[in-house]
Amino acid sequence: DKKAPLWQYPAVIIMALAMSLGLNNLIIIGNLSAIDANYKATMNAMYSAPLAIQIVCLAVLVPICEEYVFRGLFFRRMERESSFVYAMVYSSVVFGILHVNLVQMLYGFALGMMLAYVYEKYGSVKAPILAHITANILSVVGTQFQWFDWLFKDPMRVGISTVLCAFITSSIYVMIQRLNTDTTKNNSQNEG
């Protein structure tokens, strides 16, 4: 297993930002928060702490712990005993379910799929940790400074940003596929 070089890590940050913003937009557009009262209670509890505590706990410590458990242990063990796709889907389902409410389950499943993908492609738990921290920082800061409220004041603004997020996420996905393949080819040629 080869690990990706550090210069490839900014792609993970950009992908996590775009995917996180896009998923948040879709949750708000779909009015999914109205479906589950537990979601509102959870959000109020999580975002009621001072900003510094939210950043340290929600945006840094929780992602590190979750990634070591879900990608570093759970996903990796399942992948050794089955296949990449099975391990990615199953670990993402469990990751989503453990977020307890419907909205976070859906968000957690989609995020879990991306985190398993970058873990596999980058060969290190550092990649999903970085992506998870990025997504959570966006959520904390966006909520604190009411970026999502600003975004949704104009339907054109939210529509364009959601489509742009989908484009950026899919473009980075393709780029990560190619970067990883190019790195593997170059390493094979250098070893041969």
Side-chain angles (χ1 to χ4, degrees):
D1 288 21
K2 303 222 184 260
K3 294 188 180 193
L6 286 178
W7 66 267
Q8 290 183 2
Y9 279 76
V12 171
I13 294 170
I14 296 167
M15 185 177 187
L17 284 171
M19 185 172 176
S20 178
L21 180 58
L23 287 172
N24 278 311
N25 287 355
L26 292 174
I27 287 168
I28 296 169
I29 289 169
N31 199 23
L32 293 179
S33 61
I35 296 171
D36 191 351
N38 289 335
Y39 174 71
K40 287 184 180 183
T42 302
M43 292 301 103
N44 288 338
M46 285 178 20
Y47 296 121
S48 64
L51 181 60
I53 299 295
Q54 289 181 47
I55 289 174
V56 169
C57 294
L58 297 177
V60 178
L61 296 178
V62 168
I64 291 170
C65 294
E66 285 181 346
E67 290 314 307
Y68 276 116
V69 170
F70 285 98
R71 261 49 71 183
L73 297 172
F74 189 58
F75 167 79
R76 185 55 69 199
R77 170 70 57 93
M78 291 198 65
E79 185 184 36
R80 286 185 187 140
E81 295 179 13
S82 59
S83 68
F84 165 70
V85 172
Y86 180 79
M88 180 175 66
V89 171
Y90 191 73
S91 66
S92 297
V93 166
V94 173
F95 182 66
I97 289 171
L98 290 177
H99 280 82
V100 183
N101 61 68
L102 179 64
V103 176
Q104 286 184 300
M105 284 179 191
L106 296 172
Y107 184 93
F109 172 76
L111 187 65
M113 296 285 283
M114 186 268 288
L115 295 170
Y117 169 76
V118 297
Y119 181 42
E120 182 70 16
K121 287 298 179 182
Y122 280 70
S124 170
V125 76
K126 288 183 277 188
I129 287 173
L130 182 61
H132 199 154
I133 287 172
T134 301
N136 283 18
I137 284 176
L138 176 67
S139 185
V140 166
V141 173
T143 301
Q144 180 72 29
F145 294 104
Q146 301 174 341
W147 291 347
F148 303 114
D149 294 340
W150 171 82
L151 193 61
F152 276 83
K153 284 184 180 175
D154 181 4
M156 184 64 79
R157 191 182 302 154
V158 75
I160 290 171
S161 71
T162 304
V163 170
L164 190 58
C165 286
F167 173 76
I168 292 169
T169 302
S170 59
S171 298
I172 297 294
Y173 171 85
V174 170
M175 189 179 86
I176 289 172
Q177 281 284 96
R178 290 183 178 158
L179 286 174
N180 197 280
T181 303
D182 292 344
T183 302
T184 305
K185 285 180 185 175
N186 290 339
N187 288 337
S188 297
Q189 290 172 353
N190 291 338
E191 290 172 1

